[in-house]
Amino acid sequence: MSGARERTARRTARLAVFVVVSAVLVLGAVPAQGASGASVSGSGSVWAQSAMSAWARDAAADEGMTVSYAGTGSVAGREDFMRENVDFAVGEVPFPRSPEGNSGAALPARAYASVPLLGGGTALAYNLTIDGARFADLRLSGAAIAGIFSGAITRWNDPQLLADNPGIALPDLAVVPVVRADASGSSSQFTAWMASEHPNIWTQGETSLFVPPTSAFRAQSGSLGVAGYVSQSYGRGAIAYVEASYAESLGLTVAAVRNAHGDFVGPGAVNVTAALAGVDIDPDSSSAAETPNLDGVYRSADPIAYPISGYAALMVPTETSTRFTVAKGETLAAFARYALCAGQQRVASLGYAPLPAALVAVGIAQVARIPGAAKAGSGCSAPAVDPTAGEIGIEAPVVDGHDGALSLAVPVGARVTLMPETRHDGIRVSTGVLPAFAVEDARVLSRPGYTVQVTTTDFIADSARMPANALTFSPVRVPTDSTARGVVLAEPFAAGTGAMTFASAAEGTGVGRAVLSALLRLEVPGDVPAGTYRSTTTLTVVSR
C-alpha cells in the first residue's frame, strides 16, 4: 500500500462497537408528597447549609412545608438533637455504637434513625509552586497522606512523595499541615479514613477534634478558615483536609489520591458517588442509625472512585415526645423524602455529590420509621422508578497495528443508575452517570486523532415509545494519573439515533489514555404511559 493510500485507510478506519449500555427505566405513578403544616427545625453541619437552605426554600414553594435549619456544626447539632432542642440534626459525625465511642459522646435518650443525605469528598488542598509556577498535578498515596498528618513526613521532597510523583522535582520545602481547630465532621471523616486504612501510621483513631502532633501544624477554625489559610501567599507549602465543596468554591488546587484500583483521582461529584456505591448498610435494619461501615467506600475497586468519600446524615426521631409530635413527623418525613428524591437532582450544582441509588434506598427505609411518615407519601420509592444495571460488553480490536493501537474499554459490571424527580410542569426527570470508559491512543508514529461518538435508540415499552433525544449527555473527563493530551469534550447534547460527537482529539494530539464519563438527564413527559422502557446506548471511537 502506498503512503498516501495508507494514510487514507488509517483516517477512515472505523472501530467496531466496543461498549453497549442497556438502560431500563420503569415508570409508574409517583404519589404526591404531603405535609401536615407543622413546622420543624434542626441544626448541625455547616457544610450542608447550602443544600439544606435550597431544599427548605424549594419545599416551602412546592410542598408548603416550613423547615428551618441552623448551620452550627456537626458536633453542636448532635448535641442539640441529644438534648431535644431541635427536631432533627444534620452531620458527618454519627452517634457512636456505644457511649465510649467517638470521643466519649453520649447517646440520645430517644430512639432515632440516621438518614443518608449528602455525599461529599474530603479534599487535600495544597499550595505549592515549582520553578515559580503553581503546581497543580500533585499525586498522593494513602500512606503519604497519613504520613503528612501524623507528622512523619515533614518535607515536600520526602522519598514517599517523590515516589508518588515520579519525574517531578518537588521542592526541599517544609510541609505545613493545616487542620481544624474546632470539633468537626470533616475531622471525623478524615481521621476515620486514616484509622481504617493506615492504622500503623495514624495511631490516634477516629476523632472529631484533631490534636496536632507537632508544632509544624497550623490549626484554623471552620472549613473556611482552613481553606483560607491554604489560599494565601503565606500558605506556601501548606496542605489541608477540607470538604471538596470549599476547595472548589475558593479555586484551590487539590491532590489526586490513589484508590484501590491503583488510579489517582480527584474528589469530583462523579468520583464520590462512585465510591459511595460501596457503602455497607442494611436498609431495613435499625442499625442504620449507627456508624456505617465505609470499608467498601475506602477500598472501592471502581477505577473512578475517590477513596476519602463519605456522607452527611439526617438524624431523625423514631418515636414521639413532648416536643416531637406525629404532625411534626409528617412534615419531617415529607421533607426528608423531598431531599432524597427531588433534592438529589441539584446537589452537584451546589458542590456536593448525589447519593447512589443504594443509599437513597437506605434513606427511604429509615424515613418510614418517623412517626407520621405514612401520611407523607412514598416519595421516590418503588414503584415510581426502578434503578437498574447496564449490560456492558467489551471487545479489544486494534487499528493500524503497524504503529500502535486505538481502543475503547469500560470495566465489566459497571452500572447505570437513574435517580428520579417529579416536577409540577408535568415533566419527570431522572439523572444518572454513564459508566466511565477509557480511550487509549498508543499510536506514536502517526497521530491522526480520533472522535468518540455515541448513538442511542429510542426508549421502547411494549407499544409505547419515547424519543432518544429525551436523554441528554453532559460529557466529563475523569481525572487520572495518565490523561491524554488534546481531548476536547462536546458541550451537553441531546441523544440521537444518529452518531453524536461525545469527544474528539485533533491530528497530532490525543496520545495517551483518556478516561471519560457523562452526567445523564432523562426528561419524561407526563403523558408517557407507565411501563418498562429500554434503550441501548452505543459508544464508538473513530480514527480521523
Side-chain angles (χ1 to χ4, degrees), residues 43-46 69 71-83 86 89-95 102-103 105-106 180 182-188 207-210 315:
S43 65
S45 173
V46 178
Y69 179 75
T72 56
S74 294
V75 175
R78 190 173 67 176
E79 295 297 314
D80 283 341
F81 183 81
M82 185 183 67
R83 295 187 174 93
V86 294
V90 177
E92 304 98 288
V93 185
F95 285 103
N102 208 328
S103 303
R180 287 286 292 268
D182 51 327
S184 69
S186 60
S187 292
S188 178
T207 178
S208 59
L209 183 62
F210 195 109
M315 287 169 274

Coordinates of all heavy atoms in Angstrom, one line a residue, residues 43-46 69 71-83 86 89-95 102-103 105-106 180 182-188 207-210 315:
S43 N -30.6 21.6 63.4 CA -29.2 22.3 63.4 C -28.2 21.2 63.0 O -28.5 20.0 63.0 CB -28.9 22.9 64.7 OG -28.8 21.9 65.7
G44 N -27.0 21.7 62.8 CA -25.9 20.8 62.5 C -24.9 21.3 61.5 O -24.5 22.5 61.5
S45 N -24.5 20.4 60.6 CA -23.4 20.6 59.7 C -23.4 22.0 58.9 O -24.4 22.3 58.3 CB -23.4 19.5 58.6 OG -22.5 19.8 57.6
V46 N -22.3 22.7 59.1 CA -22.2 24.0 58.3 C -22.0 23.6 56.8 O -22.5 24.3 55.9 CB -21.0 24.8 58.8 CG1 -20.8 26.1 58.0 CG2 -21.2 25.2 60.3
Y69 N -33.4 25.7 59.5 CA -32.1 25.0 59.8 C -31.0 26.0 60.1 O -30.9 27.0 59.5 CB -31.7 24.1 58.6 CG -30.4 23.4 58.8 CD1 -30.4 22.2 59.6 CD2 -29.2 23.8 58.2 CE1 -29.2 21.6 59.8 CE2 -28.0 23.2 58.4 CZ -28.0 22.0 59.2 OH -26.8 21.3 59.4
G71 N -26.9 26.2 60.7 CA -25.6 25.6 60.5 C -24.7 25.9 61.7 O -23.9 26.8 61.6
T72 N -24.8 25.1 62.7 CA -24.0 25.4 63.9 C -22.8 24.5 64.0 O -21.9 24.6 64.9 CB -24.9 25.1 65.2 OG1 -25.4 23.8 65.1 CG2 -26.0 26.1 65.2
G73 N -22.7 23.5 63.1 CA -21.6 22.5 63.2 C -22.1 21.1 63.5 O -23.1 21.0 64.2
S74 N -21.5 20.1 63.0 CA -22.0 18.7 63.1 C -22.1 18.3 64.6 O -23.0 17.7 65.1 CB -21.1 17.7 62.4 OG -21.2 17.9 61.0
V75 N -21.0 18.6 65.4 CA -21.0 18.2 66.8 C -22.0 18.9 67.6 O -22.7 18.4 68.4 CB -19.6 18.4 67.4 CG1 -19.6 18.1 68.8 CG2 -18.5 17.6 66.6
A76 N -22.2 20.3 67.3 CA -23.2 21.0 68.0 C -24.6 20.5 67.7 O -25.5 20.5 68.6 CB -23.1 22.5 67.7
G77 N -24.8 20.2 66.4 CA -26.1 19.7 66.0 C -26.4 18.4 66.7 O -27.6 18.1 67.1
R78 N -25.4 17.5 66.8 CA -25.6 16.3 67.5 C -26.0 16.5 69.0 O -26.9 15.8 69.5 CB -24.3 15.4 67.4 CG -24.5 14.0 67.9 CD -23.2 13.2 67.6 NE -22.1 13.7 68.4 CZ -20.9 13.1 68.4 NH1 -20.7 12.1 67.6 NH2 -19.9 13.6 69.1
E79 N -25.4 17.5 69.6 CA -25.7 17.8 71.0 C -27.1 18.3 71.1 O -27.9 18.0 72.0 CB -24.7 18.8 71.6 CG -23.3 18.2 71.7 CD -23.2 17.1 72.6 OE1 -23.7 17.2 73.7 OE2 -22.6 16.1 72.3
D80 N -27.5 19.2 70.2 CA -28.9 19.8 70.2 C -29.9 18.7 70.0 O -30.9 18.7 70.7 CB -29.0 20.8 69.0 CG -28.4 22.1 69.3 OD1 -28.1 22.4 70.4 OD2 -28.2 22.8 68.3
F81 N -29.6 17.7 69.2 CA -30.6 16.6 69.0 C -30.6 15.7 70.2 O -31.7 15.3 70.7 CB -30.1 15.8 67.8 CG -31.1 14.6 67.4 CD1 -32.2 14.9 66.7 CD2 -30.8 13.3 67.9 CE1 -33.1 13.9 66.4 CE2 -31.7 12.3 67.6 CZ -32.8 12.6 66.8
M82 N -29.5 15.5 70.9 CA -29.5 14.7 72.1 C -30.3 15.3 73.2 O -31.0 14.6 73.9 CB -28.0 14.4 72.5 CG -27.9 13.5 73.7 SD -26.2 13.3 74.2 CE -25.9 15.0 74.8
R83 N -30.2 16.6 73.3 CA -30.9 17.4 74.3 C -32.4 17.7 74.0 O -33.0 18.4 74.7 CB -30.1 18.6 74.7 CG -28.8 18.3 75.3 CD -28.1 19.6 75.8 NE -26.9 19.4 76.5 CZ -25.7 19.4 76.0 NH1 -25.6 19.7 74.7 NH2 -24.6 19.1 76.7
V86 N -33.9 20.5 69.2 CA -34.3 20.6 67.8 C -35.0 19.3 67.4 O -35.0 18.3 68.2 CB -33.1 20.7 66.9 CG1 -32.4 22.1 67.1 CG2 -32.1 19.6 67.0
A89 N -31.3 16.8 63.2 CA -29.9 17.3 63.1 C -29.3 16.7 61.8 O -29.7 15.7 61.3 CB -29.1 16.9 64.3
V90 N -28.3 17.4 61.4 CA -27.5 17.0 60.2 C -26.1 17.0 60.5 O -25.6 17.9 61.1 CB -27.8 17.9 59.0 CG1 -26.9 17.5 57.8 CG2 -29.2 18.0 58.6
G91 N -25.4 15.9 60.2 CA -23.9 15.9 60.5 C -23.2 14.8 59.8 O -23.8 13.8 59.4
E92 N -21.9 15.0 59.7 CA -21.0 14.0 59.2 C -20.5 13.1 60.4 O -19.7 12.1 60.2 CB -19.8 14.6 58.5 CG -20.1 15.5 57.3 CD -20.1 16.9 57.7 OE1 -21.0 17.4 58.5 OE2 -19.2 17.6 57.3
V93 N -20.8 13.5 61.6 CA -20.4 12.8 62.8 C -21.6 12.0 63.3 O -22.5 12.6 64.0 CB -19.9 13.7 63.9 CG1 -19.3 12.9 65.1 CG2 -18.8 14.6 63.3
P94 N -21.7 10.7 63.1 CA -22.8 9.9 63.6 C -22.7 9.7 65.1 O -21.6 9.8 65.7 CB -22.7 8.6 62.9 CG -21.3 8.5 62.6 CD -20.7 9.8 62.4
F95 N -23.8 9.3 65.7 CA -23.7 8.8 67.1 C -22.9 7.5 67.1 O -23.0 6.7 66.2 CB -25.1 8.7 67.7 CG -25.8 9.9 68.1 CD1 -26.8 10.4 67.3 CD2 -25.4 10.7 69.2 CE1 -27.4 11.6 67.6 CE2 -26.0 11.9 69.5 CZ -27.0 12.3 68.7
N102 N -16.2 7.4 69.7 CA -16.2 8.8 69.2 C -16.0 9.8 70.3 O -16.9 10.6 70.5 CB -17.5 9.0 68.4 CG -17.2 10.0 67.3 OD1 -16.4 10.9 67.4 ND2 -17.9 9.9 66.2
S103 N -14.9 9.8 70.9 CA -14.6 10.8 72.0 C -15.5 10.8 73.1 O -15.7 11.9 73.8 CB -14.5 12.2 71.3 OG -13.6 12.3 70.2
A105 N -18.8 10.6 73.2 CA -20.0 11.2 73.0 C -21.2 10.4 73.6 O -21.2 9.2 73.4 CB -20.3 11.5 71.5
A106 N -22.2 11.1 74.2 CA -23.3 10.3 74.7 C -24.3 10.0 73.7 O -24.3 10.5 72.6 CB -24.0 11.2 75.8
R180 N -8.4 21.4 61.4 CA -9.4 22.1 62.1 C -9.1 22.3 63.6 O -8.7 21.4 64.2 CB -10.7 21.4 62.0 CG -11.4 21.4 60.6 CD -12.0 22.8 60.3 NE -13.1 23.0 61.1 CZ -14.4 22.7 60.7 NH1 -14.6 22.1 59.5 NH2 -15.4 23.0 61.5
D182 N -11.5 23.4 65.7 CA -12.7 23.1 66.4 C -13.2 21.7 66.0 O -12.7 21.1 65.1 CB -13.8 24.1 66.0 CG -13.9 24.2 64.4 OD1 -12.9 24.1 63.7 OD2 -15.1 24.4 63.9
A183 N -14.0 21.1 66.9 CA -14.6 19.8 66.6 C -15.4 19.8 65.4 O -16.2 20.7 65.2 CB -15.4 19.3 67.8
S184 N -15.2 18.9 64.5 CA -15.9 19.0 63.2 C -16.1 17.6 62.6 O -15.5 16.6 62.8 CB -15.1 19.8 62.2 OG -13.9 19.1 61.9
G185 N -17.1 17.6 61.7 CA -17.4 16.4 60.9 C -16.3 16.1 59.9 O -16.0 14.9 59.6
S186 N -15.6 17.1 59.4 CA -14.6 16.9 58.4 C -13.4 16.2 59.1 O -12.8 15.3 58.5 CB -14.1 18.2 57.8 OG -13.6 19.1 58.7
S187 N -13.1 16.6 60.3 CA -12.0 15.9 61.1 C -12.4 14.4 61.3 O -11.6 13.5 61.2 CB -11.7 16.6 62.4 OG -11.1 17.9 62.2
S188 N -13.7 14.2 61.7 CA -14.1 12.9 62.0 C -14.0 12.0 60.8 O -13.5 10.9 60.8 CB -15.6 12.9 62.5 OG -16.1 11.6 62.7
T207 N -11.5 10.8 65.4 CA -11.8 11.8 66.3 C -12.4 13.0 65.6 O -12.0 13.3 64.5 CB -10.6 12.3 67.1 OG1 -10.9 13.3 68.0 CG2 -9.4 12.7 66.2
S208 N -13.3 13.7 66.2 CA -13.9 14.9 65.6 C -13.0 16.1 66.0 O -13.2 17.2 65.4 CB -15.3 15.1 66.1 OG -15.4 15.2 67.5
L209 N -12.1 16.0 67.0 CA -11.2 17.1 67.4 C -9.8 16.7 67.1 O -9.2 15.8 67.8 CB -11.4 17.4 68.9 CG -10.6 18.6 69.4 CD1 -11.0 19.9 68.7 CD2 -10.8 18.8 70.9
F210 N -9.2 17.3 66.1 CA -7.9 16.9 65.7 C -6.8 17.6 66.6 O -6.8 18.8 66.7 CB -7.6 17.4 64.2 CG -6.4 16.8 63.6 CD1 -6.6 15.8 62.5 CD2 -5.2 17.1 63.9 CE1 -5.5 15.3 61.9 CE2 -4.1 16.6 63.3 CZ -4.2 15.6 62.3
M315 N -30.4 13.1 61.2 CA -30.7 12.3 62.3 C -32.2 12.7 62.7 O -32.5 13.9 63.0 CB -29.8 12.6 63.5 CG -28.4 11.9 63.3 SD -27.1 12.5 64.4 CE -26.5 13.9 63.6

